[in-house]
Amino acid sequence: MKIAVYSTKSYDKQYLQSCNTNKHSLIFLEEALSLDTVSLAKEMQVISIFVNDDGSELVLKALKEIGIKHIAIRGAGYDQVDLLCAQKLGITVSHVPKYSPYAIAEHVVTLMMALNRKIVRANKKVEGYNFNLDDLIGFDLNEKKVGIIGCGKIGAIVAKIVHGFGCSILVYDTVRNEEVIKQYQAEYCNLDYLLENSDVITLHTPLNEDTRHLIDKTAIDKMKKGVMLINTCRGAVVDTQAVIDGLDNGKIAYFGMDVYEYEKSLFFKDHSKDAHSDTLFARLLNFENVLITGHQAFLTDNALSNIAQTTMDSFDAWSVNKFSATEL
Ligand code: NAI
């Protein structure tokens, strides 16, 4: 089966090829899926996309017109595809629901600890032979309250890790995870209680209409002064301008982000030689207490192997069963 793989990076090619046992002819495209690039998948029935590809109604209709019947997302989140529209058009969609929650959870803790212990600043100082410690004071994570918003696969691993640090855990989720309560003594509470009582807040919900701008000015106003906020789920779960205001007025003392509300035109590409027009992002870069990675929380060898294998399994399953949209 011939398959167009949109938004291909060198690692996608490497990991997908390593588990493709010559069953499929993979056409690796650097281009992202958009209205302009749909035609690259002509005469194929299956495509694969990543987080910032465009799966909106117009694009799906164009895909349908050229005969695309299945979209395999190489990731967990599926907010980039209009699923209802895909179903109406008879286009099936698969994703990789669990490839390594550890990869993301461990990145969360990396951001937490690097912010807390000011690792980036410390390293810059040491590189300049400045061993003065004055501005590097951190805090013990032990006995701090960590608020986890969305405690599914990734949130539960974060709970496990911070429990090991000696933190107490507050959880806000629409579904209770009894295992997290039993194993790590997590306390489920409403959103306001979590916002008001957490020293560190980490976000792990999907992006949908209920969670878009869940962390807005009202939510930030309720947080403890000096809170640490970590966002590795989706950029638009926070209102970025409200977070900047929270950083400006000192309510938020640390902000770690792996995802950005307007990352689509920025992330996953080298823009070092381009003119930079995103003033919101430039503002974030200016804060010493903001640590940014460019959507790399998933980027471990284990996660990439699992993503490639599950994506390949979806290609295989589709080529054998040609499952219909209603079966998903
Ligand atoms: P999951 O589906 O296992 O967990 C999500 C949790 O959020 C569930 O427990 C669900 O009940 C809860 N939830 C949903 N709506 C909610 C709401 N309105 N309020 C409170 N809780 C709500 O998903 P998983 O695997 O833990 O991933 C979470 C998100 O992390 C993904 O949707 C994706 O957007 C993001 N992600 C980011 C990656 C990165 O590289 N930065 C990589 C993988 C996932």
Side-chain angles (χ1 to χ4, degrees), residues 269-284:
K269 289 191 198 96
D270 181 357
H271 292 292
S272 55
K273 295 187 175 68
D274 301 345
H276 307 305
S277 57
D278 186 335
T279 50
L280 211 58
F281 193 75
R283 281 283 285 124
L284 288 164

Side-chain angles (χ1 to χ4, degrees), residues 76-77 79 97 99 104 149-155 172-175 204-208 210-211 214 232-234 258-259 295-298:
D79 47 276
Y99 49 84
I104 297 93
I149 299 184
C151 198
K153 291 179 284 296
I154 297 168
Y172 169 67
D173 196 314
T174 44
V175 178
H204 301 291
T205 64
L207 173 65
N208 55 39
D210 293 333
T211 61
L214 186 69
T232 58
C233 64
R234 284 292 179 265
D258 184 55
V259 286
H295 210 137
Q296 70 169 75
F298 72 100

Side-chain angles (χ1 to χ4, degrees), residues 36-165:
D36 296 335
T37 60
V38 163
S39 60
L40 297 173
K42 250 185 192 155
E43 289 157 21
M44 299 179 217
Q45 293 190 313
V46 176
I47 64 168
S48 173
I49 64 171
F50 195 51
V51 284
N52 288 327
D53 288 284
D54 183 355
S56 62
E57 184 177 350
L58 275 181
V59 175
L60 290 175
K61 283 183 174 160
L63 287 171
K64 166 86 180 169
E65 257 175 45
I66 64 161
I68 297 300
K69 297 198 166 60
H70 182 70
I71 301 173
I73 302 172
R74 303 190 299 282
Y78 42 79
D79 47 276
Q80 71 279 48
V81 179
D82 183 339
L83 290 180
L84 214 60
C85 173
Q87 188 169 32
K88 278 186 200 147
L89 296 170
I91 298 175
T92 54
V93 181
S94 59
H95 69 141
V96 185
K98 184 178 178 178
Y99 49 84
S100 172
Y102 300 97
I104 297 93
E106 289 170 13
H107 193 77
V108 168
V109 180
T110 304
L111 291 174
M112 275 181 198
M113 293 313 290
L115 276 165
N116 170 16
R117 305 307 294 267
K118 301 166 177 63
I119 296 299
V120 175
R121 189 190 305 166
N123 183 246
K124 271 189 198 149
K125 287 180 75 164
V126 169
E127 280 174 353
Y129 281 77
N130 177 355
F131 298 96
N132 181 318
L133 302 179
D134 286 350
D135 54 351
L136 298 178
I137 300 170
F139 59 84
D140 288 4
L141 211 53
N142 182 43
E143 294 191 348
K144 293 290 180 297
K145 256 194 190 0
V146 176
I148 300 176
I149 299 184
C151 198
K153 291 179 284 296
I154 297 168
I157 305 297
V158 172
K160 178 182 180 181
I161 299 173
V162 298
H163 177 72
F165 274 113

